Amino acid sequence: MILGKVCGKSTTNKFSFEVIDNARKFEYVQAMHRDGFFILAQIVEIERTISSTLAYCNVIGFRDKEHVLKGISFPLDPGVEVLFAEDEFVQSTLSLGASKNGAFIGVLDGRENIKVHLDINRMITKHVSILAKSGSGKSFLCSVLVEELLESKIPVVVIDPHAEYSSLKRPNTKDKEKLKELGLEPKDYSKYIQEYTPDVRVNSNATQLKLSISNISSSTLLHLLPAKLSNMQTGL
């Protein structure tokens, strides 16, 4: 589907096109580069006037013969057709395809047919951080990743001061219908999860967590103390 043609200023990172068909913000598009390959881009803003509608895009790049994601070294030519990006092209360029070591975390926003997988081997051998504003779903994403690790029989230790992950032990019945639409079934991980707590009054189903002072060295004890100690106190 042709959405428009490149117009105005074009760089190796950005370009704009005049919309001649239905285009939406955050939609993925593709365009033919002068070097003979399609590049993937995303619409980041749409501007409408009385006479025309312009869509502004950020260039994501293309996959070379070694399947390495690269940017373009020369801008798109004016007049080049901008197309609705096919699901297969988006999935290949963003490297979202399922793999033997892939952790399924959901579908790509706006593309229900594109499932997003993360490489588990890379995830557990590198540092990973999830950054977003409050309420955006960081804890939920973490729980999804923990589920995928459990599916792969990988041991996980969760330090959970806010008791956000206790629900992993029970099947998700709230989103049962939505899971069915994705071809998924609620999972029960109660056999694989053991909870510990320093206060069983808070969670009666958890095992009492105790620290034996005989197994704590003096240096470890110093690190546990909240205040900065003087030399005299450290010596004691």
Side-chain angles (χ1 to χ4, degrees):
M1 181 195 303
I2 301 175
L3 300 180
K5 293 184 179 181
V6 175
C7 65
K9 183 179 179 181
S10 178
T11 72
T12 56
N13 295 318
K14 300 179 180 181
F15 67 89
S16 60
F17 69 90
E18 186 171 4
V19 178
I20 60 176
D21 204 337
N22 192 27
R24 292 287 184 269
K25 187 175 181 178
F26 301 131
E27 183 58 83
Y28 291 97
V29 298
Q30 62 186 76
M32 179 63 72
H33 193 267
R34 61 163 53 186
D35 290 336
F37 52 79
F38 277 106
I39 63 103
L40 181 68
Q42 187 178 32
I43 299 175
V44 294
E45 190 56 87
I46 295 179
E47 182 181 84
R48 189 172 184 178
T49 64
I50 297 176
S51 59
S52 65
T53 301
L54 294 178
Y56 297 89
C57 304
N58 284 346
V59 175
I60 295 174
F62 69 99
R63 294 280 173 181
D64 64 9
K65 293 180 180 179
E66 285 73 38
H67 203 62
V68 176
L69 181 62
K70 290 187 174 180
I72 56 177
S73 56
F74 196 85
L76 292 175
D77 294 330
V80 168
E81 292 180 341
V82 179
L83 313 174
F84 175 83
E86 299 295 334
D87 284 349
E88 185 177 347
F89 182 66
V90 175
Q91 192 168 30
S92 174
T93 305
L94 297 181
S95 192
L96 301 177
S99 66
K100 185 173 64 175
N101 297 317
F104 174 60
I105 62 170
V107 297
L108 189 64
D109 188 27
R111 298 292 183 108
E112 296 297 322
N113 295 325
I114 301 181
K115 294 183 177 181
V116 179
H117 293 79
L118 300 181
D119 190 316
I120 291 180
N121 285 339
R122 294 181 62 186
M123 189 167 56
I124 64 177
T125 56
K126 302 289 184 180
H127 293 95
V128 177
S129 63
I130 301 174
L131 306 176
K133 64 182 181 180
S134 298
S136 58
K138 297 186 296 297
S139 297
F140 181 77
L141 175 56
C142 280
S143 65
V144 171
L145 293 176
V146 171
E147 286 182 354
E148 291 297 313
L149 293 175
L150 291 174
E151 286 288 329
S152 300
K153 303 296 188 294
I154 298 174
V156 181
V157 176
V158 179
I159 300 174
D160 183 21
H162 300 294
E164 294 178 310
Y165 299 92
S166 297
S167 59
L168 281 170
K169 296 182 70 173
R170 300 181 296 274
N172 181 7
T173 56
K174 180 181 177 181
D175 300 319
K176 191 173 182 178
E177 294 302 319
K178 187 173 182 179
L179 289 171
K180 278 188 175 181
E181 292 176 5
L182 297 173
L184 302 172
E185 287 291 334
K187 297 289 184 70
D188 183 349
Y189 296 103
S190 57
K191 296 180 181 178
Y192 307 103
I193 294 177
Q194 177 61 58
E195 290 183 274
Y196 297 91
T197 178
D199 189 354
V200 292
R201 293 172 299 178
V202 177
N203 186 352
S204 59
N205 296 319
T207 301
Q208 178 79 44
L209 180 64
K210 297 181 179 180
L211 298 177
S212 174
I213 196 69
S214 62
N215 294 327
I216 298 179
S217 67
S218 57
S219 59
T220 302
L221 187 58
L222 286 173
H223 284 294
L224 292 175
L225 295 175
K228 184 177 180 180
L229 305 181
S230 67
N231 290 336
M232 180 71 73
Q233 290 170 321
T234 301
L236 290 173

